[in-house]
Amino acid sequence: MSRDHELEEAANNVTATMRRLIEDLNGEAITPKALRLAAHEFRSLAMYLQEVADVAEARERYAAPVESEGGLL
């Protein structure tokens, strides 16, 4: 299994677990505070993932050969 696939699977599992937890409460109360905390943590994780993706993209860009009019640099 590739690392890309592992990351995608992990993200899907976390999302499915959170949805199941929220849906399975059957009327049990989740406080707005707990929901907002969970939302904050997911936003923080999303921002972190975006930053990591930006760094990975920059690494790919700068690692690629650069072409000029005379050929590769």
Side-chain angles (χ1 to χ4, degrees):
M1 178 184 311
S2 74
R3 297 299 284 182
D4 286 355
H5 184 72
E6 284 183 65
L7 180 61
E8 182 180 344
E9 187 174 308
N12 288 338
N13 288 340
V14 168
T15 300
T17 299
M18 290 299 293
R19 286 185 181 179
R20 196 168 41 255
L21 174 65
I22 291 168
E23 291 169 359
D24 286 350
L25 289 172
N26 294 326
E28 290 182 40
I30 292 182
T31 65
K33 181 180 179 180
L35 290 167
R36 291 185 194 289
L37 177 61
H40 172 76
E41 291 300 323
F42 274 100
R43 278 191 300 274
S44 295
L45 178 59
M47 287 188 301
Y48 174 71
L49 287 170
Q50 186 61 52
E51 289 172 9
V52 171
D54 291 345
V55 169
E57 190 175 69
R59 284 183 183 154
E60 284 181 351
R61 190 173 337 141
Y62 293 116
V66 177
E67 292 188 38
S68 68
E69 290 180 25
L72 291 177
L73 293 176

Short mmCIF file of all heavy atoms in Angstrom, two decimals:
data_model
loop_
_atom_site.label_atom_id
_atom_site.label_comp_id
_atom_site.label_asym_id
_atom_site.label_seq_id
_atom_site.Cartn_x
_atom_site.Cartn_y
_atom_site.Cartn_z
N MET A 1 0.86 -1.17 0.00
CA MET A 1 0.00 0.00 0.00
C MET A 1 0.91 1.24 0.00
O MET A 1 1.82 1.35 0.79
CB MET A 1 -0.89 -0.03 1.24
CG MET A 1 -1.78 1.16 1.37
SD MET A 1 -2.80 1.24 2.89
CE MET A 1 -3.54 -0.36 2.99
N SER A 2 0.63 2.15 -0.89
CA SER A 2 1.44 3.37 -0.97
C SER A 2 1.12 4.29 0.19
O SER A 2 0.06 4.21 0.83
CB SER A 2 1.18 4.09 -2.29
OG SER A 2 -0.09 4.72 -2.26
N ARG A 3 2.06 5.18 0.49
CA ARG A 3 1.85 6.15 1.56
C ARG A 3 0.66 7.05 1.23
O ARG A 3 -0.09 7.45 2.12
CB ARG A 3 3.11 6.99 1.78
CG ARG A 3 4.33 6.19 2.22
CD ARG A 3 4.10 5.50 3.53
NE ARG A 3 4.19 6.46 4.62
CZ ARG A 3 4.07 6.16 5.88
NH1 ARG A 3 3.85 4.94 6.26
NH2 ARG A 3 4.15 7.08 6.80
N ASP A 4 0.49 7.38 -0.05
CA ASP A 4 -0.66 8.20 -0.45
C ASP A 4 -1.96 7.48 -0.08
O ASP A 4 -2.88 8.09 0.47
CB ASP A 4 -0.64 8.46 -1.96
CG ASP A 4 0.41 9.46 -2.38
OD1 ASP A 4 1.09 10.04 -1.50
OD2 ASP A 4 0.55 9.66 -3.60
N HIS A 5 -2.01 6.20 -0.39
CA HIS A 5 -3.22 5.42 -0.10
C HIS A 5 -3.43 5.30 1.41
O HIS A 5 -4.57 5.39 1.90
CB HIS A 5 -3.13 4.04 -0.74
CG HIS A 5 -4.38 3.23 -0.58
ND1 HIS A 5 -5.54 3.52 -1.26
CD2 HIS A 5 -4.65 2.18 0.24
CE1 HIS A 5 -6.48 2.66 -0.88
NE2 HIS A 5 -5.96 1.84 0.02
N GLU A 6 -2.35 5.12 2.17
CA GLU A 6 -2.46 5.05 3.63
C GLU A 6 -3.03 6.33 4.21
O GLU A 6 -3.89 6.29 5.10
CB GLU A 6 -1.09 4.80 4.27
CG GLU A 6 -0.57 3.40 4.15
CD GLU A 6 0.74 3.23 4.87
OE1 GLU A 6 0.76 3.35 6.11
OE2 GLU A 6 1.74 2.99 4.19
N LEU A 7 -2.55 7.47 3.73
CA LEU A 7 -3.04 8.76 4.22
C LEU A 7 -4.52 8.94 3.87
O LEU A 7 -5.32 9.35 4.72
CB LEU A 7 -2.22 9.91 3.64
CG LEU A 7 -2.64 11.31 4.08
CD1 LEU A 7 -2.52 11.47 5.59
CD2 LEU A 7 -1.79 12.34 3.37
N GLU A 8 -4.89 8.60 2.65
CA GLU A 8 -6.29 8.72 2.24
C GLU A 8 -7.18 7.81 3.09
O GLU A 8 -8.25 8.23 3.55
CB GLU A 8 -6.43 8.35 0.77
CG GLU A 8 -7.84 8.48 0.24
CD GLU A 8 -7.94 8.11 -1.23
OE1 GLU A 8 -6.93 8.02 -1.92
OE2 GLU A 8 -9.09 7.90 -1.67
N GLU A 9 -6.73 6.58 3.33
CA GLU A 9 -7.50 5.64 4.13
C GLU A 9 -7.64 6.13 5.58
O GLU A 9 -8.71 6.05 6.17
CB GLU A 9 -6.84 4.27 4.11
CG GLU A 9 -7.67 3.20 4.77
CD GLU A 9 -7.05 1.82 4.61
OE1 GLU A 9 -6.74 1.43 3.47
OE2 GLU A 9 -6.87 1.15 5.65
N ALA A 10 -6.56 6.66 6.13
CA ALA A 10 -6.61 7.18 7.50
C ALA A 10 -7.60 8.34 7.60
O ALA A 10 -8.39 8.41 8.56
CB ALA A 10 -5.22 7.63 7.95
N ALA A 11 -7.57 9.24 6.63
CA ALA A 11 -8.50 10.38 6.64
C ALA A 11 -9.94 9.89 6.54
O ALA A 11 -10.82 10.38 7.26
CB ALA A 11 -8.18 11.32 5.49
N ASN A 12 -10.17 8.92 5.68
CA ASN A 12 -11.53 8.37 5.54
C ASN A 12 -11.99 7.71 6.84
O ASN A 12 -13.15 7.84 7.24
CB ASN A 12 -11.59 7.36 4.40
CG ASN A 12 -11.51 8.02 3.05
OD1 ASN A 12 -11.81 9.19 2.89
ND2 ASN A 12 -11.08 7.26 2.06
N ASN A 13 -11.07 6.99 7.51
CA ASN A 13 -11.42 6.32 8.77
C ASN A 13 -11.77 7.32 9.86
O ASN A 13 -12.72 7.12 10.61
CB ASN A 13 -10.28 5.41 9.23
CG ASN A 13 -10.14 4.18 8.37
OD1 ASN A 13 -11.05 3.77 7.67
ND2 ASN A 13 -8.96 3.58 8.41
N VAL A 14 -11.00 8.39 9.97
CA VAL A 14 -11.27 9.41 10.98
C VAL A 14 -12.63 10.06 10.72
O VAL A 14 -13.45 10.20 11.63
CB VAL A 14 -10.16 10.48 11.01
CG1 VAL A 14 -10.59 11.70 11.84
CG2 VAL A 14 -8.87 9.89 11.56
N THR A 15 -12.88 10.41 9.47
CA THR A 15 -14.15 11.03 9.13
C THR A 15 -15.32 10.09 9.42
O THR A 15 -16.32 10.49 10.02
CB THR A 15 -14.16 11.45 7.65
OG1 THR A 15 -13.10 12.38 7.44
CG2 THR A 15 -15.48 12.10 7.26
N ALA A 16 -15.18 8.84 9.02
CA ALA A 16 -16.26 7.86 9.25
C ALA A 16 -16.49 7.65 10.74
O ALA A 16 -17.65 7.56 11.19
CB ALA A 16 -15.91 6.53 8.57
N THR A 17 -15.42 7.58 11.51
CA THR A 17 -15.55 7.39 12.95
C THR A 17 -16.27 8.57 13.60
O THR A 17 -17.16 8.38 14.42
CB THR A 17 -14.17 7.18 13.60
OG1 THR A 17 -13.57 6.02 13.04
CG2 THR A 17 -14.28 7.03 15.11
N MET A 18 -15.89 9.77 13.22
CA MET A 18 -16.53 10.96 13.80
C MET A 18 -18.01 11.01 13.41
O MET A 18 -18.87 11.31 14.26
CB MET A 18 -15.82 12.23 13.35
CG MET A 18 -14.44 12.39 13.97
SD MET A 18 -14.49 12.51 15.77
CE MET A 18 -15.33 14.07 15.98
N ARG A 19 -18.31 10.73 12.16
CA ARG A 19 -19.72 10.75 11.74
C ARG A 19 -20.53 9.70 12.49
O ARG A 19 -21.64 9.94 12.92
CB ARG A 19 -19.83 10.55 10.23
CG ARG A 19 -19.41 11.76 9.47
CD ARG A 19 -19.63 11.60 8.00
NE ARG A 19 -19.18 12.82 7.34
CZ ARG A 19 -19.22 13.01 6.05
NH1 ARG A 19 -19.68 12.09 5.26
NH2 ARG A 19 -18.79 14.15 5.54
N ARG A 20 -19.95 8.50 12.61
CA ARG A 20 -20.64 7.41 13.31
C ARG A 20 -20.87 7.80 14.77
O ARG A 20 -21.95 7.57 15.32
CB ARG A 20 -19.81 6.13 13.19
CG ARG A 20 -20.54 4.88 13.53
CD ARG A 20 -19.82 3.60 13.14
NE ARG A 20 -18.39 3.59 13.40
CZ ARG A 20 -17.43 3.72 12.45
NH1 ARG A 20 -17.77 3.87 11.18
NH2 ARG A 20 -16.16 3.70 12.77
N LEU A 21 -19.86 8.38 15.41
CA LEU A 21 -19.99 8.81 16.80
C LEU A 21 -21.13 9.80 16.95
O LEU A 21 -21.98 9.67 17.84
CB LEU A 21 -18.69 9.44 17.28
CG LEU A 21 -18.70 10.07 18.68
CD1 LEU A 21 -18.92 9.00 19.73
CD2 LEU A 21 -17.43 10.82 18.92
N ILE A 22 -21.20 10.77 16.07
CA ILE A 22 -22.23 11.79 16.15
C ILE A 22 -23.61 11.21 15.85
O ILE A 22 -24.59 11.49 16.53
CB ILE A 22 -21.90 12.97 15.21
CG1 ILE A 22 -20.68 13.72 15.75
CG2 ILE A 22 -23.09 13.92 15.08
CD1 ILE A 22 -20.07 14.71 14.78
N GLU A 23 -23.69 10.33 14.85
CA GLU A 23 -24.98 9.75 14.46
C GLU A 23 -25.48 8.71 15.46
O GLU A 23 -26.68 8.53 15.62
CB GLU A 23 -24.86 9.11 13.08
CG GLU A 23 -24.68 10.13 11.98
CD GLU A 23 -24.29 9.50 10.64
OE1 GLU A 23 -24.14 8.26 10.57
OE2 GLU A 23 -24.12 10.26 9.67
N ASP A 24 -24.57 8.00 16.13
CA ASP A 24 -24.95 6.91 17.03
C ASP A 24 -25.35 7.37 18.43
O ASP A 24 -25.59 6.55 19.30
CB ASP A 24 -23.80 5.90 17.16
CG ASP A 24 -23.65 5.05 15.93
OD1 ASP A 24 -24.52 5.09 15.04
OD2 ASP A 24 -22.63 4.34 15.84
N LEU A 25 -25.43 8.64 18.65
CA LEU A 25 -25.72 9.11 19.99
C LEU A 25 -27.17 8.85 20.40
O LEU A 25 -27.48 8.83 21.58
CB LEU A 25 -25.40 10.60 20.11
CG LEU A 25 -23.89 10.86 20.10
CD1 LEU A 25 -23.62 12.34 20.02
CD2 LEU A 25 -23.23 10.27 21.32
N ASN A 26 -28.05 8.68 19.43
CA ASN A 26 -29.44 8.35 19.73
C ASN A 26 -30.05 9.25 20.81
O ASN A 26 -30.57 8.80 21.81
CB ASN A 26 -29.58 6.88 20.16
CG ASN A 26 -29.26 5.94 19.04
OD1 ASN A 26 -29.53 6.23 17.88
ND2 ASN A 26 -28.66 4.81 19.38
N GLY A 27 -29.90 10.53 20.60
CA GLY A 27 -30.51 11.47 21.52
C GLY A 27 -29.63 11.87 22.69
O GLY A 27 -29.98 12.76 23.44
N GLU A 28 -28.49 11.18 22.87
CA GLU A 28 -27.59 11.61 23.93
C GLU A 28 -27.02 12.96 23.55
O GLU A 28 -26.73 13.22 22.39
CB GLU A 28 -26.45 10.61 24.12
CG GLU A 28 -26.89 9.28 24.71
CD GLU A 28 -25.72 8.36 24.91
OE1 GLU A 28 -24.64 8.83 25.33
OE2 GLU A 28 -25.88 7.16 24.63
N ALA A 29 -26.85 13.79 24.53
CA ALA A 29 -26.43 15.16 24.26
C ALA A 29 -24.92 15.25 24.02
O ALA A 29 -24.13 14.68 24.76
CB ALA A 29 -26.81 16.06 25.41
N ILE A 30 -24.57 15.93 22.96
CA ILE A 30 -23.20 16.38 22.76
C ILE A 30 -23.28 17.88 22.95
O ILE A 30 -24.10 18.54 22.32
CB ILE A 30 -22.67 16.08 21.35
CG1 ILE A 30 -22.51 14.59 21.12
CG2 ILE A 30 -21.31 16.75 21.14
CD1 ILE A 30 -21.94 14.26 19.76
N THR A 31 -22.45 18.39 23.79
CA THR A 31 -22.52 19.83 24.06
C THR A 31 -21.99 20.62 22.87
O THR A 31 -21.10 20.14 22.14
CB THR A 31 -21.71 20.19 25.32
OG1 THR A 31 -20.33 19.93 25.07
CG2 THR A 31 -22.19 19.42 26.53
N PRO A 32 -22.51 21.81 22.68
CA PRO A 32 -21.98 22.67 21.63
C PRO A 32 -20.48 22.89 21.81
O PRO A 32 -19.73 22.95 20.84
CB PRO A 32 -22.76 23.97 21.79
CG PRO A 32 -24.05 23.55 22.41
CD PRO A 32 -23.69 22.41 23.32
N LYS A 33 -20.04 22.98 23.07
CA LYS A 33 -18.62 23.19 23.34
C LYS A 33 -17.79 22.03 22.78
O LYS A 33 -16.74 22.26 22.15
CB LYS A 33 -18.39 23.32 24.85
CG LYS A 33 -16.94 23.56 25.23
CD LYS A 33 -16.79 23.69 26.73
CE LYS A 33 -15.34 23.90 27.11
NZ LYS A 33 -15.15 24.03 28.55
N ALA A 34 -18.22 20.80 22.98
CA ALA A 34 -17.50 19.64 22.47
C ALA A 34 -17.50 19.62 20.95
O ALA A 34 -16.48 19.31 20.32
CB ALA A 34 -18.11 18.35 23.02
N LEU A 35 -18.62 19.96 20.35
CA LEU A 35 -18.71 20.01 18.88
C LEU A 35 -17.79 21.08 18.31
O LEU A 35 -17.09 20.86 17.32
CB LEU A 35 -20.15 20.25 18.44
CG LEU A 35 -21.10 19.08 18.67
CD1 LEU A 35 -22.54 19.56 18.49
CD2 LEU A 35 -20.78 17.93 17.75
N ARG A 36 -17.77 22.23 18.95
CA ARG A 36 -16.90 23.32 18.48
C ARG A 36 -15.42 22.96 18.66
O ARG A 36 -14.59 23.28 17.81
CB ARG A 36 -17.23 24.62 19.20
CG ARG A 36 -18.59 25.17 18.79
CD ARG A 36 -18.87 26.52 19.39
NE ARG A 36 -20.27 26.86 19.27
CZ ARG A 36 -20.89 27.17 18.13
NH1 ARG A 36 -20.21 27.17 17.02
NH2 ARG A 36 -22.16 27.48 18.11
N LEU A 37 -15.09 22.28 19.75
CA LEU A 37 -13.71 21.84 19.96
C LEU A 37 -13.29 20.86 18.87
O LEU A 37 -12.21 20.97 18.30
CB LEU A 37 -13.55 21.21 21.34
CG LEU A 37 -12.15 20.65 21.64
CD1 LEU A 37 -11.10 21.76 21.60
CD2 LEU A 37 -12.14 19.97 23.00
N ALA A 38 -14.17 19.91 18.56
CA ALA A 38 -13.88 18.94 17.50
C ALA A 38 -13.71 19.66 16.16
O ALA A 38 -12.79 19.37 15.39
CB ALA A 38 -14.98 17.90 17.41
N ALA A 39 -14.59 20.62 15.88
CA ALA A 39 -14.49 21.38 14.63
C ALA A 39 -13.18 22.15 14.57
O ALA A 39 -12.51 22.19 13.52
CB ALA A 39 -15.68 22.33 14.51
N HIS A 40 -12.79 22.74 15.69
CA HIS A 40 -11.52 23.48 15.74
C HIS A 40 -10.34 22.55 15.46
O HIS A 40 -9.43 22.90 14.70
CB HIS A 40 -11.36 24.14 17.11
CG HIS A 40 -10.03 24.76 17.32
ND1 HIS A 40 -9.67 25.96 16.73
CD2 HIS A 40 -8.94 24.33 18.01
CE1 HIS A 40 -8.41 26.23 17.06
NE2 HIS A 40 -7.96 25.26 17.84
N GLU A 41 -10.35 21.37 16.06
CA GLU A 41 -9.26 20.42 15.85
C GLU A 41 -9.20 19.97 14.40
O GLU A 41 -8.11 19.85 13.83
CB GLU A 41 -9.43 19.21 16.78
CG GLU A 41 -9.22 19.54 18.24
CD GLU A 41 -7.82 20.09 18.53
OE1 GLU A 41 -6.84 19.64 17.92
OE2 GLU A 41 -7.73 20.98 19.40
N PHE A 42 -10.34 19.75 13.77
CA PHE A 42 -10.34 19.36 12.36
C PHE A 42 -9.85 20.50 11.47
O PHE A 42 -9.12 20.27 10.50
CB PHE A 42 -11.74 18.89 11.92
CG PHE A 42 -11.97 17.44 12.20
CD1 PHE A 42 -12.68 17.05 13.32
CD2 PHE A 42 -11.45 16.46 11.37
CE1 PHE A 42 -12.88 15.70 13.60
CE2 PHE A 42 -11.65 15.12 11.64
CZ PHE A 42 -12.37 14.74 12.76
N ARG A 43 -10.22 21.73 11.80
CA ARG A 43 -9.71 22.87 11.02
C ARG A 43 -8.20 22.98 11.17
O ARG A 43 -7.48 23.23 10.20
CB ARG A 43 -10.39 24.17 11.45
CG ARG A 43 -11.75 24.39 10.82
CD ARG A 43 -12.27 25.81 11.04
NE ARG A 43 -12.41 26.15 12.45
CZ ARG A 43 -13.49 25.89 13.18
NH1 ARG A 43 -14.52 25.30 12.63
NH2 ARG A 43 -13.53 26.25 14.45
N SER A 44 -7.71 22.78 12.41
CA SER A 44 -6.27 22.84 12.65
C SER A 44 -5.55 21.75 11.85
O SER A 44 -4.50 22.00 11.24
CB SER A 44 -5.96 22.66 14.14
OG SER A 44 -6.46 23.75 14.86
N LEU A 45 -6.11 20.56 11.84
CA LEU A 45 -5.52 19.47 11.08
C LEU A 45 -5.55 19.78 9.58
O LEU A 45 -4.57 19.55 8.87
CB LEU A 45 -6.26 18.16 11.36
CG LEU A 45 -5.76 16.93 10.59
CD1 LEU A 45 -4.29 16.65 10.87
CD2 LEU A 45 -6.62 15.72 10.93
N ALA A 46 -6.64 20.34 9.11
CA ALA A 46 -6.75 20.69 7.69
C ALA A 46 -5.70 21.73 7.30
O ALA A 46 -5.07 21.62 6.24
CB ALA A 46 -8.16 21.20 7.37
N MET A 47 -5.50 22.73 8.15
CA MET A 47 -4.49 23.75 7.86
C MET A 47 -3.09 23.13 7.85
O MET A 47 -2.26 23.44 7.00
CB MET A 47 -4.57 24.90 8.87
CG MET A 47 -5.78 25.78 8.66
SD MET A 47 -5.81 27.27 9.69
CE MET A 47 -5.76 26.60 11.33
N TYR A 48 -2.82 22.23 8.80
CA TYR A 48 -1.53 21.56 8.86
C TYR A 48 -1.31 20.73 7.60
O TYR A 48 -0.23 20.78 6.99
CB TYR A 48 -1.45 20.68 10.10
CG TYR A 48 -0.20 19.85 10.16
CD1 TYR A 48 1.05 20.43 10.38
CD2 TYR A 48 -0.25 18.47 9.97
CE1 TYR A 48 2.20 19.67 10.43
CE2 TYR A 48 0.90 17.70 10.01
CZ TYR A 48 2.12 18.30 10.24
OH TYR A 48 3.26 17.54 10.27
N LEU A 49 -2.32 19.97 7.18
CA LEU A 49 -2.20 19.17 5.97
C LEU A 49 -1.94 20.05 4.75
O LEU A 49 -1.14 19.69 3.87
CB LEU A 49 -3.47 18.33 5.75
CG LEU A 49 -3.64 17.14 6.68
CD1 LEU A 49 -5.04 16.56 6.52
CD2 LEU A 49 -2.59 16.08 6.40
N GLN A 50 -2.58 21.20 4.68
CA GLN A 50 -2.36 22.12 3.56
C GLN A 50 -0.92 22.63 3.56
O GLN A 50 -0.28 22.71 2.52
CB GLN A 50 -3.33 23.29 3.63
CG GLN A 50 -3.26 24.21 2.44
CD GLN A 50 -3.59 23.50 1.14
OE1 GLN A 50 -4.61 22.84 1.03
NE2 GLN A 50 -2.73 23.61 0.15
N GLU A 51 -0.40 22.96 4.75
CA GLU A 51 0.98 23.42 4.84
C GLU A 51 1.96 22.33 4.39
O GLU A 51 2.91 22.60 3.66
CB GLU A 51 1.31 23.84 6.28
CG GLU A 51 0.62 25.11 6.71
CD GLU A 51 0.79 25.40 8.19
OE1 GLU A 51 1.58 24.70 8.86
OE2 GLU A 51 0.13 26.31 8.69
N VAL A 52 1.72 21.10 4.83
CA VAL A 52 2.59 19.98 4.44
C VAL A 52 2.50 19.77 2.93
O VAL A 52 3.52 19.53 2.27
CB VAL A 52 2.21 18.70 5.21
CG1 VAL A 52 2.94 17.48 4.66
CG2 VAL A 52 2.51 18.88 6.70
N ALA A 53 1.30 19.87 2.37
CA ALA A 53 1.13 19.72 0.92
C ALA A 53 1.88 20.82 0.18
O ALA A 53 2.51 20.56 -0.86
CB ALA A 53 -0.36 19.74 0.55
N ASP A 54 1.82 22.04 0.68
CA ASP A 54 2.54 23.16 0.05
C ASP A 54 4.04 22.91 0.04
O ASP A 54 4.72 23.15 -0.96
CB ASP A 54 2.23 24.48 0.77
CG ASP A 54 0.80 24.94 0.57
OD1 ASP A 54 0.10 24.41 -0.33
OD2 ASP A 54 0.36 25.83 1.33
N VAL A 55 4.57 22.42 1.15
CA VAL A 55 6.00 22.13 1.24
C VAL A 55 6.37 21.00 0.28
O VAL A 55 7.37 21.09 -0.44
CB VAL A 55 6.41 21.77 2.70
CG1 VAL A 55 7.82 21.21 2.75
CG2 VAL A 55 6.28 23.00 3.58
N ALA A 56 5.57 19.95 0.25
CA ALA A 56 5.84 18.83 -0.66
C ALA A 56 5.79 19.28 -2.11
O ALA A 56 6.63 18.87 -2.93
CB ALA A 56 4.82 17.70 -0.41
N GLU A 57 4.83 20.13 -2.43
CA GLU A 57 4.72 20.65 -3.79
C GLU A 57 5.94 21.50 -4.15
O GLU A 57 6.48 21.39 -5.25
CB GLU A 57 3.44 21.48 -3.90
CG GLU A 57 3.08 21.87 -5.31
CD GLU A 57 1.73 22.58 -5.32
OE1 GLU A 57 1.65 23.71 -4.81
OE2 GLU A 57 0.77 21.98 -5.83
N ALA A 58 6.39 22.32 -3.23
CA ALA A 58 7.58 23.14 -3.47
C ALA A 58 8.82 22.27 -3.66
O ALA A 58 9.64 22.53 -4.54
CB ALA A 58 7.80 24.11 -2.31
N ARG A 59 8.94 21.21 -2.86
CA ARG A 59 10.07 20.30 -3.02
C ARG A 59 10.07 19.66 -4.40
O ARG A 59 11.10 19.54 -5.04
CB ARG A 59 10.03 19.21 -1.95
CG ARG A 59 10.48 19.68 -0.61
CD ARG A 59 10.50 18.55 0.37
NE ARG A 59 10.86 19.02 1.69
CZ ARG A 59 10.51 18.44 2.81
NH1 ARG A 59 9.80 17.34 2.80
NH2 ARG A 59 10.90 18.93 3.96
N GLU A 60 8.88 19.22 -4.84
CA GLU A 60 8.78 18.63 -6.18
C GLU A 60 9.16 19.64 -7.25
O GLU A 60 9.87 19.31 -8.19
CB GLU A 60 7.36 18.13 -6.44
CG GLU A 60 7.01 16.84 -5.76
CD GLU A 60 5.61 16.38 -6.08
OE1 GLU A 60 4.82 17.15 -6.70
OE2 GLU A 60 5.27 15.24 -5.70
N ARG A 61 8.70 20.84 -7.10
CA ARG A 61 8.95 21.88 -8.09
C ARG A 61 10.43 22.19 -8.20
O ARG A 61 10.99 22.30 -9.28
CB ARG A 61 8.17 23.14 -7.73
CG ARG A 61 8.17 24.20 -8.80
CD ARG A 61 7.25 25.35 -8.44
NE ARG A 61 6.25 24.90 -7.49
CZ ARG A 61 5.80 25.60 -6.46
NH1 ARG A 61 6.22 26.80 -6.25
NH2 ARG A 61 4.93 25.13 -5.63
N TYR A 62 11.09 22.32 -7.04
CA TYR A 62 12.50 22.69 -7.05
C TYR A 62 13.43 21.51 -7.34
O TYR A 62 14.57 21.70 -7.71
CB TYR A 62 12.89 23.37 -5.74
CG TYR A 62 12.22 24.72 -5.60
CD1 TYR A 62 11.31 24.96 -4.59
CD2 TYR A 62 12.47 25.73 -6.52
CE1 TYR A 62 10.67 26.19 -4.48
CE2 TYR A 62 11.83 26.96 -6.42
CZ TYR A 62 10.94 27.18 -5.40
OH TYR A 62 10.31 28.39 -5.29
N ALA A 63 12.92 20.29 -7.20
CA ALA A 63 13.73 19.11 -7.49
C ALA A 63 13.68 18.75 -8.97
O ALA A 63 14.54 18.04 -9.46
CB ALA A 63 13.24 17.92 -6.67
N ALA A 64 12.70 19.28 -9.67
CA ALA A 64 12.55 18.98 -11.10
C ALA A 64 13.64 19.69 -11.90
O ALA A 64 14.06 20.80 -11.56
CB ALA A 64 11.18 19.43 -11.58
N PRO A 65 14.12 19.05 -12.95
CA PRO A 65 15.12 19.70 -13.80
C PRO A 65 14.55 20.99 -14.41
O PRO A 65 13.37 21.07 -14.73
CB PRO A 65 15.40 18.69 -14.89
CG PRO A 65 14.72 17.44 -14.50
CD PRO A 65 13.74 17.75 -13.42
N VAL A 66 15.39 21.98 -14.52
CA VAL A 66 14.97 23.26 -15.07
C VAL A 66 15.49 23.36 -16.50
O VAL A 66 16.66 23.12 -16.77
CB VAL A 66 15.54 24.43 -14.23
CG1 VAL A 66 15.16 25.77 -14.84
CG2 VAL A 66 15.07 24.32 -12.79
N GLU A 67 14.60 23.68 -17.41
CA GLU A 67 14.99 23.82 -18.80
C GLU A 67 15.19 25.28 -19.15
O GLU A 67 14.47 26.15 -18.70
CB GLU A 67 13.94 23.22 -19.72
CG GLU A 67 13.84 21.72 -19.61
CD GLU A 67 12.93 21.11 -20.67
OE1 GLU A 67 12.95 21.61 -21.81
OE2 GLU A 67 12.23 20.16 -20.32
N SER A 68 16.19 25.54 -19.97
CA SER A 68 16.42 26.87 -20.48
C SER A 68 16.46 26.76 -22.01
O SER A 68 16.30 25.69 -22.56
CB SER A 68 17.74 27.44 -19.95
OG SER A 68 18.83 26.72 -20.51
N GLU A 69 16.71 27.87 -22.65
CA GLU A 69 16.76 27.84 -24.12
C GLU A 69 17.86 26.91 -24.64
O GLU A 69 17.70 26.29 -25.67
CB GLU A 69 16.98 29.25 -24.66
CG GLU A 69 15.79 30.16 -24.46
CD GLU A 69 16.04 31.54 -25.01
OE1 GLU A 69 16.87 31.69 -25.90
OE2 GLU A 69 15.36 32.48 -24.53
N GLY A 70 18.95 26.81 -23.88
CA GLY A 70 20.06 25.97 -24.32
C GLY A 70 19.96 24.53 -23.85
O GLY A 70 20.84 23.73 -24.11
N GLY A 71 18.92 24.17 -23.15
CA GLY A 71 18.78 22.81 -22.64
C GLY A 71 18.59 22.83 -21.14
O GLY A 71 18.19 23.83 -20.56
N LEU A 72 18.89 21.69 -20.51
CA LEU A 72 18.72 21.58 -19.06
C LEU A 72 19.79 22.37 -18.33
O LEU A 72 20.93 22.41 -18.75
CB LEU A 72 18.80 20.12 -18.63
CG LEU A 72 17.64 19.22 -19.06
CD1 LEU A 72 17.91 17.79 -18.60
CD2 LEU A 72 16.33 19.70 -18.49
N LEU A 73 19.40 22.96 -17.23
CA LEU A 73 20.38 23.67 -16.38
C LEU A 73 20.89 22.74 -15.31
O LEU A 73 20.26 21.88 -14.83
CB LEU A 73 19.71 24.89 -15.73
CG LEU A 73 19.30 26.01 -16.65
CD1 LEU A 73 18.57 27.09 -15.84
CD2 LEU A 73 20.49 26.61 -17.34
#
